Amino acid sequence: MTDINLGLKIKKFRTDQKLSLKDLALKINSTSALLSQVEKGVTNPSINTLKSLSKALSIPLYKFFLEDSFKKVHIVKSNKRKIIKPSKNSKISYEILSPEPQSDMEFMILNLEPNSSSKEKEIGHDGQEVAFILEGEVVLKIDDESFTLSTGDSVKIEKFVKHNWENISDKNSKVIFAVTI
C-alpha cells in the first residue's frame, strides 16, 4: 500500500479554502501548533481530530485516505493541452498550461496573430500577472500608457490593473504568463 500523507492532504484542503492554520484550529477547537505538526507529518491526527477536520473543511472523511485525492505532480502533455479561442474567427488563442484541477494560479500561452489584440479594451482581474514574451513583439497597454515588449522581456502586472495585449507586427507573437486567482 502507498504511504498516505495525511498532513499534506490536510494542508492542501485547508489552503484550497484559503484558511490559515489559526482559522482552522479555531474551527476544530484545537491549536495552530498541533495542526502545523500534523501538516508537517511530525505527528498523526487522532480519529476525532480527523472527524473535526472533515466537518470544518466540508470534506468527507474517506477523502483523507484516498490515494488519488492528492497528487504531488500534475502533468499536461503538449498534445492534451486545452486551447481556447474566444470566437471561431479570432486571431488570438490561449493554450492552457495549468493542469486540472485548477490551483491558486493559472499558467497559459497567449498566441497573437499579426495585427490582433487580446481584448477590445483594457480589463483587469483580481490576481497578479507575470508574463514573458516568448516570441515576437507585443504592445502592453495600461491606462494611457503603452509599453513595447520583445522576445525575452518580462513584466509583472498588479491586481486589478486594466491592461490589454496587442500584436501590431506582421509576425505571430507568443506571451507565456501566470495569473494568481
Side-chain angles (χ1 to χ4, degrees):
M1 179 176 182
T2 306
D3 185 30
I4 296 174
N5 190 331
L6 285 173
L8 204 52
K9 287 183 182 184
I10 291 165
K11 182 175 184 177
K12 172 86 169 98
F13 292 139
R14 175 181 63 79
T15 57
D16 283 352
Q17 295 183 29
K18 300 189 182 352
L19 290 171
S20 68
L21 278 169
K22 184 178 179 181
D23 292 337
L24 185 55
L26 287 171
K27 282 186 160 198
I28 68 166
N29 197 25
S30 184
T31 66
S32 53
L34 174 66
L35 282 180
S36 177
Q37 289 181 335
V38 167
E39 287 185 359
K40 291 177 182 174
V42 174
T43 187
N44 286 316
S46 69
I47 192 67
N48 287 334
T49 300
L50 279 176
K51 284 180 183 177
S52 296
L53 287 166
S54 170
K55 185 176 179 181
L57 295 168
S58 300
I59 304 285
L61 189 60
Y62 72 89
K63 282 209 168 190
F64 291 118
F65 300 99
L66 291 178
E67 290 180 35
D68 292 337
S69 67
F70 179 79
K71 292 182 182 179
K72 290 182 181 179
V73 177
H74 299 267
I75 297 172
V76 178
K77 299 296 263 178
S78 61
N79 62 344
K80 301 286 186 194
R81 191 176 296 154
K82 291 181 183 176
I83 297 177
I84 298 172
K85 269 193 120 161
S87 68
K88 186 178 178 180
N89 298 325
S90 179
K91 290 181 152 190
I92 70 162
S93 65
Y94 293 90
E95 295 178 52
I96 310 302
L97 304 174
S98 301
E100 299 282 342
Q102 302 248 338
S103 64
D104 296 336
M105 180 181 300
E106 289 185 350
F107 191 42
M108 297 182 220
I109 296 175
L110 169 61
N111 296 297
L112 293 151
E113 291 181 19
N115 302 306
S116 64
S117 174
S118 63
K119 301 285 181 203
E120 289 180 22
K121 62 179 183 174
E122 291 90 16
I123 61 161
H125 40 78
D126 62 356
Q128 292 181 335
E129 181 172 332
V130 177
F132 176 82
I133 312 311
L134 201 56
E135 178 181 309
E137 187 173 88
V138 295
V139 174
L140 173 61
K141 291 190 172 185
I142 297 178
D143 297 325
D144 294 330
E145 291 186 84
S146 293
F147 304 92
T148 301
L149 302 169
S150 302
T151 302
D153 292 343
S154 60
V155 63
K156 178 182 176 189
I157 304 166
E158 294 297 334
K159 294 179 178 184
F160 306 112
V161 173
K162 293 182 179 181
H163 61 282
N164 183 31
W165 297 96
E166 289 186 359
N167 178 359
I168 57 173
S169 74
D170 59 352
K171 296 180 181 174
N172 289 335
S173 294
K174 289 183 179 232
V175 179
I176 189 167
F177 64 96
V179 179
T180 60
I181 51 176

